Amino acid sequence: NNSPVSPERFRGYHTGVDVEYADVEGEVEVRAVAKGEVLVSRNASGYGGVMVIEHEIRGEKYFMIYGHLQQKSMLKVGEKVENGEKIGILGKGYSLETDGERRHLHFGISKTNNIRGYSENEAELKSNWIDPVVFILHG
């Protein structure tokens, strides 16, 4: 388990990065990392509000997962987004908006339309998920 939190209620390998906002007052806007289309916009166990946006970057399709959002603030399935466009507001920590989790954005990059926050094993993690830090820093 490589979760940044302890104790953790989920098991396996974390499929994204957690961007922490516990010390930030007020609303935190979440913005699209690239142009794309909303494929998933709903409440899900472990997330509260979660969205998947399909982005095309350098000719490749990627599925970006944005988790722990206020569901009422999220865009709808089928909506198109532009790079940097507001797609929602981060949920309030330890509420239904974050499924009881601390206030943070879970950001993942998948090769498939998948919202799982944890992978069962390292091989599955490497074959289906991309490390967002490496992707952003090194393309």
Side-chain angles (χ1 to χ4, degrees), residues 25-126:
E25 297 292 327
E27 288 188 348
V28 175
E29 293 183 351
V30 178
R31 298 185 174 274
V33 298
K35 182 178 179 177
E37 180 179 347
V38 179
L39 298 183
V40 174
S41 182
R42 66 181 178 90
N43 189 285
S45 177
Y47 285 114
V50 64
M51 295 177 65
V52 176
I53 300 179
E54 180 181 20
H55 298 290
E56 189 170 314
I57 301 171
R58 297 182 300 275
E60 299 271 341
K61 287 189 179 185
Y62 299 96
F63 301 88
M64 309 292 191
I65 297 90
Y66 303 83
H68 308 299
L69 306 176
Q70 289 179 4
Q71 195 166 4
K72 66 183 180 187
S73 74
M74 297 175 353
L75 298 179
K76 306 287 185 252
V77 170
E79 286 192 66
K80 308 279 191 221
V81 299
E82 294 296 325
N83 181 28
E85 182 180 336
K86 177 182 165 184
I87 60 168
I89 298 190
L90 201 60
K92 183 176 186 231
Y94 307 103
S95 71
L96 292 175
E97 295 171 350
T98 58
D99 195 39
E101 292 283 326
R102 69 201 186 285
R103 187 180 196 200
H104 69 283
L105 173 68
H106 172 95
F107 179 69
I109 305 173
S110 178
K111 297 175 186 173
T112 62
N113 183 1
N114 185 341
I115 65 168
R116 286 191 8 232
Y118 287 82
S119 178
E120 292 178 20
N121 59 62
E122 198 169 358
E124 196 270 340
L125 178 75
K126 288 181 177 180

Side-chain angles (χ1 to χ4, degrees), residues 6-24:
S6 185
E8 179 57 73
R9 65 181 176 147
F10 302 102
R11 299 185 59 79
Y13 291 84
H14 196 226
T15 59
V17 294
D18 288 339
V19 184
E20 304 295 336
Y21 288 97
D23 60 344
V24 176

